[in-house]
Amino acid sequence: MIISMRPHATKEEIEHVCERIREFGYKVHSIQGDERVVIGVVGVGDVTACLESLEAAPGVESAVRISAPYKFVSREFKQEHSAVRVNGVEIGAGEFMVIAGPCSVESERQIMETAEGVAAAGARLLRGGAFKPRTSPYDFQGLELEGLKLLRKAKEATGLAIVTEIMSDRDVDLVAEYADCMQVGARNMQNFALLKTLGTCDRPVLLKRGMSSTIKELLMSAEYIVAHGNPNVILCERGIRTFETATRNTCDIAAIPVLNELTHLPVILDPSHATGRRSLVPAVARAGVAIGADGLILEVHPCPEKAISDGAQSLTLEGFRNLMRDLRPYVELWKELRGAAMAAVG
Ligand code: PEP
Ligand code: MN
């Protein structure tokens, strides 16, 4: 159950509602939104009686029953598609957004050249890991603070918003100083301490699906962030582990429409990690636009053969330009359909 209070509900009205909820044997999980307080009601109890009682309480705008285990992120809670603002760039609204950049920030020259190249080709956000989750402890772990500073330099030169990975709750304040959007990688999708801390952070979060996680688990992880106070979550399908070895991961393309049914949060696709091979990235990227993703995140490197991580799946700058050119008709159609959908909901 979710109780939305009226925008100008008083403290006493809110406290009264919380008390009534507790009397019914439920726990209260309230979050302060931009305009109103929204109260999540969790636990077991007499839903119908509680709903009826709360609907009539002063200051209550609406009380809705939510059958999904994830509440705030569910479509039942909010019918309209949400847009998330990342430093002035809206993901989930009327424009198709492309995030591009290297897997890892490696040097000033590498990140500046990539940032300028992807910005000129139409990307609006720059990706690049400064803290890298690597399978082997002996592999490059990222430039850390130096990498964050280089991302800031690239942002100043190009105006691109910065998306970079956060691996530990201990680093949230540091990374938030430099990042416009905090990326939670597949390996940390269920790092609950990190998710809770990101819930209290004022930066939007790009939450990638764990490689062996179900869609429901992805949504429960998003719920952690939102329930702890941060509504600005973007979901990302990046391929899952299956028996197939022809690609690095198996791109679960249907996850996008499934998520669009289940949640109001924006959803993007990562064709780079989903395939692991440069030659496959353009086709999967086109599929992502066609199937209704809100954007793409793509790995691009000025010289993929010298990349420290994920060179095989990184596009060259020329490859990225060609991809952006070839996506144009798909993006035009996407805009038309999105415009119609937005007009239909008013
Ligand atoms: C990445 O974006 O470079 C990355 C490590 O991705 P994932 O967490 O999806 O493996
Ligand atoms: Mn990578």
Side-chain angles (χ1 to χ4, degrees):
M1 223 180 322
I2 298 234
I3 316 298
S4 298
M5 300 301 293
R6 289 188 203 285
H8 300 292
T10 64
K11 253 186 162 171
E12 291 71 31
E13 286 170 338
I14 295 166
E15 200 31 58
H16 172 72
V17 167
C18 293
E19 264 169 39
R20 294 290 292 138
I21 294 169
R22 290 191 198 99
E23 278 166 26
F24 276 97
Y26 289 105
K27 278 194 181 155
V28 166
H29 207 109
S30 77
I31 52 177
Q32 174 73 55
D34 285 344
E35 286 179 0
R36 54 167 59 76
V37 168
V38 179
I39 305 168
V41 180
V42 282
V44 209
D46 185 345
V47 184
T48 312
C50 184
L51 260 181
E52 276 172 12
S53 152
L54 293 173
E55 267 168 353
V60 169
E61 186 165 80
S62 68
V64 286
R65 181 189 219 131
I66 301 207
S67 52
Y70 37 84
K71 309 289 177 197
F72 295 111
V73 307
S74 74
R75 269 275 180 218
E76 289 168 271
F77 173 53
K78 183 170 178 247
Q79 276 84 51
E80 320 85 74
H81 198 65
S82 289
V84 171
R85 188 176 278 273
V86 180
N87 193 42
V89 176
E90 276 205 310
I91 299 181
E95 298 277 337
F96 188 82
M97 286 300 163
V98 176
I99 306 169
C103 181
S104 309
V105 181
E106 298 170 1
S107 67
E108 177 163 349
R109 190 164 162 205
Q110 173 241 21
I111 195 68
M112 295 304 269
E113 198 179 332
T114 312
E116 273 153 17
V118 299
R124 300 288 301 279
L125 305 98
L126 177 68
R127 61 149 292 148
F131 291 87
K132 291 303 302 177
R134 304 305 302 280
T135 302
S136 166
Y138 307 116
D139 283 344
F140 175 62
Q141 305 286 307
L143 295 180
E144 301 185 344
L145 179 59
E146 191 195 334
L148 295 174
K149 289 183 177 164
L150 293 177
L151 286 167
R152 175 174 286 170
K153 236 182 170 175
K155 176 180 173 175
E156 282 164 4
T158 59
L160 293 171
I162 301 298
V163 181
T164 195
E165 185 155 354
I166 171 81
M167 294 209 297
S168 163
D169 53 329
R170 290 190 307 269
D171 296 326
V172 167
D173 290 342
L174 173 70
V175 175
E177 238 183 85
Y178 295 86
D180 297 302
C181 179
M182 314 281 271
Q183 175 178 327
V184 176
R187 290 156 192 80
N188 274 307
M189 189 204 85
Q190 289 188 316
N191 178 341
F192 299 115
L194 175 61
L195 301 178
K196 286 183 198 175
T197 308
L198 288 170
T200 63
C201 169
D202 65 359
R203 292 279 182 270
V205 177
L206 172 60
L207 179 64
K208 298 186 85 175
R209 179 179 181 184
M211 56 190 83
S212 301
S213 299
T214 63
I215 289 172
K216 183 173 161 189
E217 286 163 343
L218 171 63
L219 291 169
M220 293 308 289
S221 289
E223 184 80 8
Y224 260 91
I225 302 168
V226 179
H228 282 82
N230 184 351
N232 298 311
V233 179
I234 302 154
L235 303 173
C236 178
E237 165 59 37
R238 47 78 72 207
I240 51 174
R241 273 200 174 161
T242 67
F243 53 81
E244 183 56 72
T245 54
T247 48
R248 181 180 178 186
N249 291 289
T250 296
C251 181
D252 184 5
I253 195 79
I256 292 158
V258 171
L259 284 165
N260 282 334
E261 278 182 7
L262 299 175
T263 179
H264 55 87
L265 296 176
V267 183
I268 67 168
L269 178 67
D270 176 347
S272 309
H273 291 86
T275 62
R277 277 163 51 200
R278 184 178 312 122
S279 64
L280 302 174
V281 168
V284 174
R286 289 195 295 274
V289 187
I291 209 161
D294 294 296
L296 298 170
I297 180 165
L298 294 158
E299 287 190 338
V300 180
H301 195 287
C303 183
E305 69 182 270
K306 290 197 184 143
I308 301 179
S309 58
D310 288 352
Q313 67 193 34
S314 298
L315 298 168
T316 61
L317 286 164
E318 189 194 359
F320 181 69
R321 271 195 302 277
N322 293 341
L323 167 62
M324 291 297 274
R325 180 200 60 210
D326 296 344
L327 280 183
R328 242 174 254 151
Y330 292 80
V331 171
E332 282 310 310
L333 183 57
W334 181 98
K335 267 198 215 166
E336 236 176 79
L337 295 170
R338 179 58 62 99
M342 285 168 79
V345 287

